[in-house]
Amino acid sequence: MAGMDNSDETPDDFTDIEELALQCRFASCTHGREPGCAVRRALDEGTLARSRFDEYLDARDELYYQEERAGHKNVLREEKERLLKKAAPSRSQSHAKNRKHSGKKREEEW
């Protein structure tokens, strides 16, 4: 995605909004309806364009989506590895039984 710095968690071209966010009353402010939100205040005062903020929200949502997707892939991979490890002993035991039985059949055929 253009304007994204993969080494950081936030879009690298929204430093103006990030600086405003540092002035919010609450560190966990989502810039929704929290009291003391400096970003919302800037929107209300007209010092931050609504279109600029919408671009920021779109980029933030995309970042969250990508992080969630990556996390989901990791969970699926870990679950697959766990299931394969769990199945591995039974597969090798089953394979060993098949070899043992096939050997008996060969002996009987002679």
Side-chain angles (χ1 to χ4, degrees), residues 6-106:
N6 292 333
S7 66
D8 198 357
E9 292 185 8
T10 56
D12 64 358
D13 59 347
F14 293 106
T15 54
D16 55 334
I17 296 175
E18 292 170 4
E19 288 175 11
L20 283 170
L22 293 174
Q23 299 171 29
C24 291
R25 182 186 302 173
F26 301 106
S28 61
C29 184
T30 62
H31 320 303
R33 299 194 187 281
E34 296 91 346
C37 176
V39 175
R40 286 289 171 181
R41 185 174 52 247
L43 285 167
D44 292 343
E45 294 171 354
T47 57
L48 176 61
R50 180 68 202 190
S51 60
R52 176 86 174 134
F53 184 62
D54 288 343
E55 290 172 6
Y56 170 79
L57 292 177
D58 288 346
R60 185 182 70 176
D61 290 349
E62 178 65 21
L63 180 63
Y64 289 157
Y65 169 77
Q66 293 297 333
E67 289 173 349
E68 184 176 298
R69 188 172 169 212
H72 183 68
K73 284 181 180 179
N74 289 338
V75 169
L76 291 176
R77 182 175 48 248
E78 290 168 4
E79 180 66 11
K80 181 180 176 183
E81 289 172 1
R82 185 185 67 78
L83 290 172
L84 287 174
K85 284 180 184 177
K86 186 176 179 180
S90 62
R91 267 201 254 161
S92 61
Q93 290 171 356
S94 174
H95 185 63
K97 284 180 185 177
N98 287 340
R99 282 189 290 162
K100 185 177 179 183
H101 291 300
S102 65
K104 284 183 181 178
K105 285 183 180 179
R106 285 185 194 144

